[in-house]
Amino acid sequence: GQQVMQIPQYQHVQEGEDFTTYCNSSTTLSNIQWYKQRPGGHPVFLIQLVKSGEVKKQKRLTFQFGEAKKNSSLHITATQTTDVGTYFCAETGTASKLTFGTGTRLQVTL
Amino acid sequence: GAVVSQHPSWVICKSGTSVKIECRSLDFQATTMFWYRQFPKQSLMLMATSNEGSKATYEQGVEKDKFLINHASLTLSTLTVTSAHPEDSSFYICSARGAGGVYGYTFGSGTRLTVV
């Protein structure tokens, strides 16, 4: 099946700078979930978006779902070293299968 | 919250041997388990989906005779890599989903398999 693309693949920021990762699909997504995977760790669920144009916030993290439900974004304000990891978007498709995007690896330095 | 225990966390085996990886849901009944593999700096690729008491459904390109999945109970699923080869070395992660469509799938901590 077609994988959801994320950009950028990798971003290196200094602590305090903002960061955004984008998730793009050529087809309409039924929903979008976001996960964070620390180096050497497993994915941890962050949030799920279902409605067109939905925006949700978790402290410094802001998640958006596009109006056409073909794209989504995750924005981190004032990054911290604890934000280091790979951020994946994922879609639940047929048979509840969770399909991951290509991921964006974030590196934060002091 | 929901917890999924995966064991072992890492294993080294010789080429040609088989390795079994266990995934247990500790505080909920996992009606569906998913198995993924992840190569370094890559995304998670779904290998198969298993429902309790029925045969697993494998993704295209995944050899079902090589990657044996058993989901005998609502709390345990196993993945056996048979006749392992160095190219099977990877990070294997299970994910469990409870009944009723609870979203926010719970992942095991992963198993790093190295075949030498």
Side-chain angles (χ1 to χ4, degrees):
Chain A
Q2 188 169 0
Q3 194 168 30
V4 177
M5 302 303 295
Q6 280 183 253
I7 54 171
Q9 284 188 327
Y10 170 76
Q11 184 144 19
H12 185 176
V13 300
Q14 289 199 317
E15 192 176 46
E17 293 180 335
D18 292 355
F19 160 76
T20 305
T21 172
Y22 300 90
C23 185
N24 298 297
S25 172
S26 58
T27 58
T28 302
L29 301 167
S30 56
N31 61 74
I32 199 84
Q33 298 185 12
W34 285 92
Y35 290 81
K36 176 183 178 182
Q37 185 179 25
R38 292 181 184 273
H42 60 280
V44 174
F45 174 76
L46 295 177
I47 209 157
Q48 174 169 283
L49 305 172
V50 179
K51 298 177 183 176
S52 167
E54 191 170 11
V55 177
K56 288 188 177 179
K57 290 190 176 184
Q58 288 180 351
K59 296 182 180 179
R60 295 179 294 105
L61 276 60
T62 302
F63 304 84
Q64 290 189 328
F65 201 6
E67 293 290 342
K69 299 182 74 173
K70 288 186 175 181
N71 56 71
S72 182
S73 66
L74 158 58
H75 179 81
I76 302 178
T77 305
T79 56
Q80 300 174 359
T81 55
T82 53
D83 295 324
V84 165
T86 302
Y87 293 85
F88 292 99
C89 61
E91 181 199 21
T92 49
T94 56
S96 301
K97 292 192 292 186
L98 189 64
T99 304
F100 283 82
T102 50
T104 296
R105 190 159 59 94
L106 172 64
Q107 181 63 263
V108 181
T109 52
L110 295 172
Chain B
V3 177
V4 172
S5 173
Q6 187 171 342
H7 177 82
S9 55
W10 62 270
V11 58
I12 301 173
C13 72
K14 290 185 178 180
S15 225
T17 60
S18 296
V19 173
K20 180 184 280 189
I21 301 169
E22 290 189 351
C23 196
R24 293 179 184 273
S25 56
L26 299 186
D27 48 4
F28 68 104
Q29 294 184 328
T31 51
T32 308
M33 288 268 199
F34 304 90
W35 287 94
Y36 294 84
R37 67 188 296 180
Q38 184 179 34
F39 292 108
K41 296 186 180 179
Q42 292 189 22
S43 186
L44 287 83
M45 300 304 295
L46 181 64
M47 298 173 67
T49 303
S50 72
N51 291 295
E52 183 264 338
S54 59
K55 290 184 178 180
T57 303
Y58 291 81
E59 294 299 300
Q60 194 172 9
V62 177
E63 299 175 58
K64 61 180 181 181
D65 294 330
K66 181 169 185 59
F67 299 99
L68 302 179
I69 292 172
N70 185 282
H71 193 164
S73 77
L74 284 171
T75 58
L76 174 64
S77 178
T78 61
L79 166 67
T80 302
V81 182
T82 63
S83 187
H85 289 97
E87 57 265 31
D88 298 323
S89 299
S90 186
F91 191 51
Y92 293 87
I93 312 177
C94 65
S95 172
R97 187 169 183 265
V102 176
Y103 65 84
Y105 298 58
T106 305
F107 286 81
S109 53
T111 297
R112 188 159 304 281
L113 170 64
T114 302
V115 184
V116 297

